[in-house]
Amino acid sequence: MRPGYVGSGLLTLLGLFLAVDALSLIRARERDITASGTEGRRDRKQDDRTTNERTWLNRVKRGWMWNQFSIQEEYTGTEYLYIGKLQSDVDRGDGTVKYVLSGDGAGSVFVINENNGDLHCTRRLDREEKAYYTLRATVVNKRTGHRLEPETDFVIKLHDINDNEPQFSQEVYTGSVPERSEIGTSIIQVTATDADDSMYGNSAKLVYSVSQGHPYFSVDANTGVIRTALGPGDMDREQRETYQVVIEAKDMAGQRGGLTGTAVVNITLTDVNDNPPLFTQSIFQFSVLESSQTGTPVGRIRATDKDTGENAEMFFTIASGDGMDVFDISTDQATQEGVIIVSKPLDYERKRSYTVEIQVQNTQVDPRFSSPGPKGVATVRIGVEDVDEAPLFSAASYLMEVREDAAPRAAAGSVSAQDPDAAHSPLRYSIDRRTDMDRVFDVHPGNGSVFLLRSLDREENAWHNISVIATEFNKPLLTSHVPVFIRLLDINDNAPTFATAYETFVCERTKSGQRIQTVSAVDADEPASGHRFFFSLAAEGIHHSNFTVRDNGDNTAGILTRRSSYNRQLQSVYLVPVVITDGDYPMQSSTGTLSVRVCLCDRHGKMELCNTEALTSSAGISTGALIAILLCAIILLSK
């Protein structure tokens, strides 16, 4: 390429611009000389000439459209690269003018011949570092150094060559796509850029292609979108999980001679639930002790699934068999194994083996790949092992009853146990003496009959709780205990008595038939139908008593007066014998003596004063008896 010429002000690029510019300049200067009246006076003082030239420069107005210089980047010649020539109409070729260059790279990157205006580039330039340079040029008088025309800008633009290969935004890309995806499923987009000029030629026009990764993947030539190129049947993660694809980006629109950049794309097929779980074997065998408690593990069964993660999670169920209600199965979430456990008690003597069918399924099901066919099934056989068990009582506890008046050796009841093992060893019974410290009961060692060793009193202890032991003759360490609750049945062997010690008084002035006390009774016995008490005045007091007893019919009785006045000076205490009889069989009765004190009362019947003798008397005890007791106590204390 041959550069043209460019100028500013009086610098000439084209012939037409030069002529017009020069003519305008001459006319302007003539007008300035005429107006000043100094035409022909070239020896004016320097400061006047400078002032006029500045005025002339300020008046010049330009409207040029300057073309730019162009050079090709990456010039590798040994000499300076000629760019073009700057020509001024004030340069008459007599060597009096000098061309001056300034701006981007002036004097280093670009130089100008100050005598003739030839412009050169001194070094190799890279458009990708700097695409254009803006410079300024002017012409000055060599002798005076004064500028002869205004400074004018021009541009040197670098033309692009294809010297940059495409660069991907990443050296390595990572993408994933579900296995068994349809053809054309988008995976990832790769992007490359080219530092060359996209506005000039095809140096930066890129085309993408697959260099490595056929026939599994394709790439859109224009967008860089990578897609699957094979159908669902060929993209199986269980066959191959990872792929390394190499993508090329070529400039020059892919034409021959273009530059190429590459990137690696690691593509992983992610799992979908396209495989059912399958048992590692068709038959499993286990054994369990008959003594195993509920929840005891019996064994583990294993199934495998080619899928991973949640797609490989599974659960087990007992589908059929004679042990469906005896065993259960759960899934160990850590190992994904089926754990068979005991759900009901086992008995070797009743059933010695079980067979169940176990089914395994995925917890997460993909309807696209679920099959209506049979699921994974395995047969599990479980044998029950015999355990030498302790004797087994016929009941968890026993309740026995015996009358409280039963004689020693009387039977209270019996217990029964047997050896649950097939041998049916003979047993021996005994009392756990820790539960019968007073040795009240015993048991027949052969038949388990429980009997009394001594007489009992229900009112002393109504219940006895003991423990009976059954032991195998041949294996004394194998024992069992059973609780026995013995209730004593009541008999009517206690007479009723006053419910409390009553404090009773009568006013000296009262009414005949006045109730002065209500009494009730208690009985240590407990008849099944409840208590029924009867009250009456003792026979010895019927004719001479000053009081009477009235049975209320509700297990209470009223003590009534039989006269209207009493004299505490004559007799301060009266004893009233009351007969109390129960209604049970055999009938029991007792006589309670009620002490009635005679007191001085106000008109409302409120007690005001009683004799000292009366105050020191207690119910049911006469004054003489009280004195006798006190005398006995004094004698005892004096010894």
Side-chain angles (χ1 to χ4, degrees), residues 495-503 517-524 531 533 535 554-557 578 580 590-594 619:
T497 60
F498 279 130
T500 185
Y502 293 101
E503 292 286 343
Q517 183 69 61
T518 299
V519 296
S520 61
V522 292
D523 193 329
H531 289 292
F533 300 122
F535 300 87
D554 59 357
N555 291 342
T556 66
V578 180
I580 310 171
S590 67
T591 300
T593 301
L594 186 68

Side-chain angles (χ1 to χ4, degrees), residues 362-439:
N362 282 132
T363 56
Q364 307 289 333
V365 178
D366 191 330
R368 296 176 300 170
F369 308 107
S370 61
S371 173
K375 307 293 189 299
V377 176
T379 300
V380 179
R381 294 170 181 167
I382 303 172
V384 180
E385 295 184 0
D386 187 27
V387 174
D388 200 353
E389 299 173 89
L392 182 65
F393 281 96
S394 61
S397 63
Y398 293 88
L399 173 63
M400 300 178 183
E401 295 179 339
V402 60
R403 286 171 56 93
E404 64 174 319
D405 61 345
R409 311 296 299 181
S414 65
V415 298
S416 176
Q418 65 176 2
D419 180 11
D421 299 319
H424 293 299
S425 299
L427 306 179
R428 178 173 57 84
Y429 301 97
S430 61
I431 298 291
D432 185 349
R433 288 305 171 188
R434 292 173 299 177
T435 62
D436 186 26
M437 303 289 287
D438 296 332
R439 303 184 69 85

Side-chain angles (χ1 to χ4, degrees), residues 116-391:
N116 60 22
D118 286 344
L119 187 64
H120 290 82
C121 179
T122 66
R123 68 180 65 170
R124 175 180 176 181
L125 299 178
D126 186 355
R127 188 202 68 84
E128 286 69 48
E129 291 183 2
K130 191 173 179 64
Y132 64 90
Y133 295 81
T134 301
L135 295 99
R136 295 179 296 279
T138 187
V139 179
V140 300
N141 186 291
K142 282 185 177 181
R143 183 173 62 85
T144 64
H146 292 137
R147 191 165 57 188
L148 301 179
E149 63 177 62
E151 194 174 53
T152 305
D153 294 344
F154 66 95
V155 174
I156 299 176
K157 182 178 181 182
L158 274 65
H159 279 179
D160 185 50
I161 65 171
N162 189 21
D163 61 339
N164 289 279
E165 64 184 25
Q167 296 290 328
F168 282 91
S169 59
Q170 299 175 216
E171 292 184 4
V172 179
Y173 291 83
T174 302
S176 62
V177 64
E179 64 172 325
R180 299 191 180 278
S181 296
E182 298 295 331
I183 295 177
T185 300
S186 175
I187 303 173
I188 191 175
Q189 183 177 22
V190 297
T191 304
T193 56
D194 196 313
D196 293 320
D197 191 353
S198 61
M199 304 299 294
Y200 179 77
N202 290 326
S203 296
K205 184 173 178 57
L206 305 182
V207 173
Y208 298 94
S209 62
V210 176
S211 172
Q212 175 184 316
H214 294 292
Y216 304 101
F217 304 98
S218 64
V219 64
D220 188 292
N222 297 318
T223 64
V225 175
I226 301 174
R227 303 178 186 275
T228 56
L230 294 181
D234 298 308
M235 303 296 284
D236 187 357
R237 187 199 66 84
E238 286 71 43
Q239 298 296 323
R240 182 176 177 182
E241 185 174 3
T242 60
Y243 298 81
Q244 189 174 80
V245 181
V246 178
I247 302 297
E248 286 187 352
K250 190 172 185 180
D251 60 17
M252 298 299 292
Q255 298 175 9
R256 181 177 298 179
L259 301 178
T260 301
T262 61
V264 174
V265 183
N266 293 322
I267 299 177
T268 302
L269 298 185
T270 57
D271 189 53
V272 299
N273 194 5
D274 58 341
N275 293 282
L278 298 174
F279 282 104
T280 56
Q281 58 194 75
S282 60
I283 298 176
F284 295 86
Q285 290 188 340
F286 302 103
S287 61
V288 60
L289 297 175
E290 65 170 326
S291 59
S292 298
Q293 300 296 317
T294 299
T296 301
V298 176
R300 290 171 174 256
I301 59 176
R302 183 173 178 78
T304 59
D305 193 321
K306 294 180 180 180
D307 298 317
T308 61
E310 66 176 13
N311 293 327
E313 293 178 358
M314 59 191 78
F315 69 95
F316 301 84
T317 55
I318 298 179
S320 62
D322 57 3
M324 290 184 66
D325 59 341
V326 180
F327 302 96
D328 200 358
I329 188 168
S330 60
T331 303
D332 186 329
Q333 296 301 321
T335 63
Q336 292 297 302
E337 293 176 311
V339 182
I340 301 174
I341 60 173
V342 177
S343 62
K344 284 187 177 181
L346 302 172
D347 186 355
Y348 171 83
E349 288 69 33
R350 186 174 61 84
K351 188 170 179 61
R352 302 185 179 184
S353 66
Y354 297 87
T355 301
V356 293
E357 297 292 328
I358 305 295
Q359 188 177 89
V360 61
Q361 294 175 268
N362 282 132
T363 56
Q364 307 289 333
V365 178
D366 191 330
R368 296 176 300 170
F369 308 107
S370 61
S371 173
K375 307 293 189 299
V377 176
T379 300
V380 179
R381 294 170 181 167
I382 303 172
V384 180
E385 295 184 0
D386 187 27
V387 174
D388 200 353
E389 299 173 89

